[in-house]
Amino acid sequence: MHASSLSRRSVLAGTAVAAAAVSLPMTQGRAQAAATPAKRGYRWRNAVQGGTGFITGVLFHPSVRGLAYLRTDIGGAYRWDDRTDRWIPLTDHLGWDDWNLLGVEAMAVDPAHPNRVYLSLGAYTQSWAGNGAVLRSEDRGATWQRTDLTVKLGANEDGRGAGERLLVDPRDSDTLWLGTRHDGLLKSTDRGATWKAVSFPATPSATGQGVTFLVAAGRTVYAGWGDSDGTTGKPNLYRTTDGTTWKAVPGQPAGTAAKVPIRAAYDRHTRELYVTYANAPGPNGQSDGSVHKLRTSSGKWSEVTPVKPGGTTADGSADSFGYGGVAVDARHPGTLVVSTNNRWADIDTVFRSTNGGRTWTSLKDKAVLDVSETPYLKWGGDKPKFGWWIQALALDPYDSRHVVYGTGATLFGTRDLKHWAPQIRGVEEASIRQLISPPTGTAHLLSGSGDIGVMYHERLTASPSRGMASNPVFGTSTGLSLAAAKPSYVVRAGWGDHGNGAFSNDGGKTWTPFEVQPDVAKSAPGPIATNADGSVLLWSFGTANPGYRSADNGAGWSEVASYPKGAAPVADPVDPARFYAFDTTTGTVFASTDSGRTFTARATGLSTGDSEFQLTAAPGRTGDLWLSLKGNGLYRSTDGGATFAKVSSCHASHALGFGKAARGASYPAVYMVGSTETITAVYRSDDEAKTWTRINDDRHQWGWTGAAITGDPRVYGRVYVATNGRGVQYGEPVR
């Protein structure tokens, strides 16, 4: 969900920046859809999971008590509301075409103007991703203006947990600096409305980090540089004292030239700048690091590393790690906190010093963790971990004992330096892959996600009390299926260390791993389906492998040679003998009428080449199939896939699901992420897709939502939408 191993694009030397500012929210410059809006609108909320993603930055406002901002790598930005004790999402208005902007590279606030806040957005620097953008607000993110850039940003790439690459100049509130990964340093003199590249003494590379942070130290601005090759004369820390000329900081500590400066913080009382270093940008891959401070008045450097990496733990494991976050106490000179990062053997910690780094205390050693509000943080065990991927670290300028740090799944906070609990209410960052709304039972929702497996939502307003599905625990879920005629029976598949498939006989409350599994499951667990009565399972394992069938609840598996490789199996909801699959490589629908033993081709000549095409079976009917072909539209078959007809009311269809029928209607409500003309949105049809009603609005779009959608079979109008970074969104008509 969060890792990015894709290669970066080539450097665009001397790139200028476009400056077309627009008001938001907006509809990506497209014509409004012909579908009618919901008469009374919809109320949209998150199904609470509680964090579940990488917190890459937290920024307390230095001039306003109780005001803070948070950024994520794929789930947008948030503002802390001190009155309600929760985070408020600020970027849900970003729509389908702007999916890349849900990655927040950096944040900035203006100490002199408390209502101003800035975001730099862009998840990837690859050629297939769009350019970055800067949002600016005069009302703490309630409304935004936007400037599109002509460079790319990498909020979901290596180095995403580094410091803020965006800064309001301490000399002039109208001037902003923006550090990029591959295009040098940009500057704005009109509060972010327009940008241009400026001269910087270091040259970007196609594979490096570029500017890793920007921080003010009095009237001087410092910039970390992540592209040093470790040779003499290649510094990685620069500064400007006049806002025009940048120079390397002299006397940089020995041993840091080969490292990446991760974050920096300035103690205005002692006039010392603290910098954390690691031998890789993180959050993965770090095995060495250090902490240094610069007395800015004299230029003297000192090493203040709490514990040097390279030792061994009690069990003999190598204690390798880097350093990540750093924050200073605005009220007490010489008091600061730093975090280790990527310390898997001895577990990451936060160190605290009250004497400028001469001595340190590990806050992990006496920490009491309370994760009762988000039980999944126990990860299937008895106790939660203090943390991992700790690069976001912040200290409240109005409360010296209020420290927060981000992990790969949550934000922990303390008010007494001992007791810690997630301070995460309102933040939902899961990348949702599958959704099921059972027709009976306690839970109205089961969800399958990247990184956090499957959850059983007995309540939509609280994190599931059972946490992640265990026995086994999965990282990423790849398949989730319920037996339509026996809804207490559910199967799931995913990436796990102790098995890749499991079944449940109580609707997903508890799970039992399959007794055996095909060998290929360890390296390629794919989608799985159970037939209508739960007597047969079909499991797919990618385009290089055949499908497998089990008729004994996973005790044995047999290869199905005629099954289309890599296709997602779909069970007929009425007839246990019927399965379907759409082969995206050939554009052919296959069907089985012998309980999955053999498959034969039905309709051919449909669209090819996209693994995200979806085949869906309408509930309560045999052979009623709907095929979502993205921009090629929506097709329907009522004869088990033998023939398909295009649905004329639909311009594009990305995901489709069904819910309880409207009063007086004989057919289930149909829910779709797609378009009736040109705008991609969330729609409902109560008349078998003859007409559509748009049920989301421009304030609730959540970027890319093409993975899954389903209605609730028990509550008319309720719909669950899978997002890629904003968890499960569920909507209900305003009564």
Side-chain angles (χ1 to χ4, degrees):
M1 157 175 161
H2 295 116
S4 175
S5 59
L6 299 170
S7 61
R8 294 172 175 79
R9 67 182 182 88
S10 301
V11 176
L12 295 179
T15 302
V17 183
V22 295
S23 296
L24 294 175
M26 58 184 295
T27 57
Q28 301 89 51
R30 291 176 153 190
Q32 288 291 332
T36 57
K39 290 182 179 179
R40 293 178 178 165
Y42 257 61
R43 180 186 181 187
W44 290 95
R45 290 169 285 183
N46 266 115
V48 175
Q49 292 171 288
T52 70
F54 185 25
I55 308 302
T56 52
V58 179
L59 185 61
F60 283 103
H61 200 289
S63 307
V64 182
R65 181 188 292 270
L67 178 60
Y69 297 91
L70 177 150
R71 63 178 165 97
T72 66
D73 51 2
I74 65 169
Y78 297 78
R79 181 187 69 247
W80 178 253
D81 187 339
D82 214 29
R83 296 171 300 171
T84 59
D85 197 33
R86 66 186 296 108
W87 296 95
I88 307 300
L90 301 179
T91 49
D92 282 355
H93 63 271
L94 294 169
W96 182 270
D97 290 344
D98 288 326
W99 64 267
N100 187 55
L101 301 185
L102 264 292
V104 184
E105 182 86 296
M107 311 175 289
V109 297
D110 187 341
H113 298 85
N115 290 336
R116 293 179 184 172
V117 61
Y118 304 88
L119 303 175
S120 61
L121 310 177
Y124 301 101
T125 61
Q126 279 73 35
S127 59
W128 43 260
N131 292 334
V134 172
L135 299 186
R136 58 194 191 278
S137 174
E138 298 280 346
D139 52 16
R140 303 185 183 185
T143 61
W144 297 96
Q145 287 187 303
R146 167 174 162 177
T147 294
D148 290 323
L149 305 174
T150 59
V151 301
K152 298 178 186 293
L153 305 179
N156 193 34
E157 297 183 350
D158 288 348
R160 58 196 184 274
E164 303 305 331
R165 293 172 162 96
L166 185 64
L167 180 72
V168 175
D169 192 283
R171 296 168 171 265
D172 178 10
S173 290
D174 289 345
T175 297
L176 277 77
W177 300 94
L178 173 60
T180 73
R181 291 165 178 262
H182 311 308
D183 299 290
L185 186 64
L186 310 181
K187 184 178 183 179
S188 171
T189 56
D190 53 12
R191 276 185 270 158
T194 62
W195 295 85
K196 64 178 181 179
V198 298
S199 177
F200 194 76
T203 302
S205 76
T207 58
Q209 290 291 307
V211 177
T212 56
F213 62 74
L214 293 162
V215 65
R219 294 169 65 83
T220 299
V221 176
Y222 287 81
W225 186 253
D227 284 8
S228 175
D229 60 7
T231 61
T232 303
K234 295 285 187 179
N236 52 25
L237 190 66
Y238 295 84
R239 68 186 174 199
T240 179
T241 58
D242 59 8
T244 300
T245 304
W246 288 84
K247 296 181 180 179
V249 176
Q252 295 185 32
T256 62
K259 296 185 176 71
V260 177
I262 304 298
R263 286 178 174 259
Y266 180 64
D267 188 331
R268 60 184 175 86
H269 299 289
T270 64
R271 298 175 67 183
E272 292 173 322
L273 181 74
Y274 293 87
V275 185
T276 59
Y277 294 88
N279 63 340
N284 289 313
Q286 296 175 341
S287 59
D288 192 13
S290 58
V291 183
H292 297 261
K293 70 176 179 179
L294 168 67
R295 186 175 293 273
T296 59
S297 58
S298 66
K300 179 182 177 182
W301 284 92
S302 303
E303 182 173 359
V304 291
T305 306
V307 174
K308 292 187 176 182
T312 56
T313 62
D315 64 0
S317 300
D319 189 19
S320 61
F321 56 93
Y323 278 90
V326 56
V328 299
D329 191 332
R331 305 169 68 86
H332 296 91
T335 297
L336 71 152
V337 287
V338 300
S339 68
T340 62
N341 187 70
N342 205 49
R343 193 183 194 185
W344 295 101
D346 203 29
I347 307 302
D348 279 302
T349 187
V350 172
F351 288 104
R352 181 173 184 262
S353 175
T354 58
N355 55 17
R358 290 193 297 273
T359 60
W360 297 87
T361 300
S362 171
L363 298 183
K364 177 187 69 175
D365 296 346
K366 295 184 178 180
V368 178
L369 299 179
D370 178 5
V371 297
S372 56
E373 192 168 316
T374 51
Y376 78 90
L377 289 171
K378 294 181 180 179
W379 304 107
D382 296 328
K383 295 181 180 180
K385 292 181 179 180
F386 188 79
W388 70 103
W389 284 13
I390 303 179
Q391 294 186 292
L393 178 65
L395 206 163
D396 190 335
Y398 291 89
D399 183 353
S400 298
R401 299 170 75 81
H402 182 200
V403 180
V404 298
Y405 66 89
T407 76
T410 194
L411 180 77
F412 277 111
T414 181
R415 300 278 182 172
D416 62 6
L417 304 180
K418 179 180 179 180
H419 297 87
W420 301 80
Q423 193 173 335
I424 201 70
R425 291 177 186 171
V427 177
E428 299 292 346
E429 203 196 347
S431 175
I432 307 299
R433 310 296 178 85
Q434 302 94 25
L435 294 171
I436 290 177
S437 185
T440 61
T442 302
H444 279 250
L445 179 67
L446 302 178
S447 66
S449 302
D451 293 354
I452 58 168
V454 170
M455 286 189 175
Y456 176 89
H457 301 259
E458 68 267 66
R459 295 170 59 195
L460 298 176
T461 56
S463 186
S465 63
R466 297 176 179 272
M468 298 164 56
S470 57
N471 195 29
V473 170
F474 293 158
T476 291
S477 171
T478 60
L480 185 62
S481 178
L482 175 147
K486 185 183 177 183
S488 61
Y489 184 76
V490 191
V491 293
R492 62 186 175 97
W495 293 94
D497 294 332
H498 304 286
N500 302 89
F503 67 91
S504 172
N505 282 316
D506 54 15
K509 291 181 183 178
T510 61
W511 297 86
T512 302
F514 295 144
E515 185 176 333
V516 298
Q517 64 180 29
D519 289 340
V520 71
K522 296 179 181 179
S523 58
I528 193 169
T530 175
N531 66 345
D533 63 7
S535 61
V536 175
L537 307 179
L538 280 179
W539 201 351
S540 180
F541 298 100
T543 57
N545 304 293
Y548 282 80
R549 176 183 184 273
S550 175
D552 51 14
N553 206 32
W557 297 87
S558 58
E559 182 179 317
V560 182
S562 57
Y563 185 82
K565 293 181 178 180
V570 176
D572 190 281
V574 176
D575 186 349
R578 293 177 180 265
F579 283 96
Y580 312 98
F582 179 58
D583 184 354
T584 62
T585 61
T586 63
T588 302
V589 171
F590 286 79
S592 171
T593 57
D594 59 2
S595 299
R597 293 180 179 85
T598 60
F599 281 79
T600 57
R602 295 286 180 94
T604 61
L606 300 166
S607 293
T608 63
D610 197 317
S611 62
E612 294 174 1
F613 291 157
Q614 294 182 14
L615 184 66
T616 310
R621 289 151 174 79
T622 295
D624 190 349
L625 305 177
W626 298 70
L627 182 60
S628 297
L629 295 177
K630 300 180 70 173
N632 292 314
L634 177 65
Y635 289 76
R636 184 183 180 188
S637 171
T638 56
D639 54 12
T643 60
F644 278 82
K646 188 170 186 178
V647 178
S648 61
S649 64
C650 179
H651 177 75
S653 180
H654 301 274
L656 196 82
F658 301 89
K660 185 176 181 178
R663 181 178 298 179
S666 60
Y667 198 83
V670 185
Y671 295 93
M672 179 180 71
V673 174
S675 62
T676 58
E677 285 191 351
T678 53
I679 183 173
T680 302
V682 182
Y683 296 90
R684 188 192 73 230
S685 175
D686 295 330
D687 56 10
E688 295 186 56
K690 295 181 179 68
T691 61
W692 297 91
T693 297
R694 184 186 177 190
I695 58 176
N696 72 326
D697 54 58
D698 288 353
R699 294 180 298 112
H700 300 92
Q701 300 196 78
W702 320 291
W704 187 77
T705 51
I709 186 172
T710 188
D712 193 308
R714 289 177 269 180
V715 182
Y716 168 71
R718 182 187 289 176
V719 61
Y720 306 95
V721 180
T723 75
N724 185 43
R726 282 289 286 123
V728 179
Q729 299 287 336
Y730 74 98
E732 296 178 303
V734 176
R735 306 297 181 185

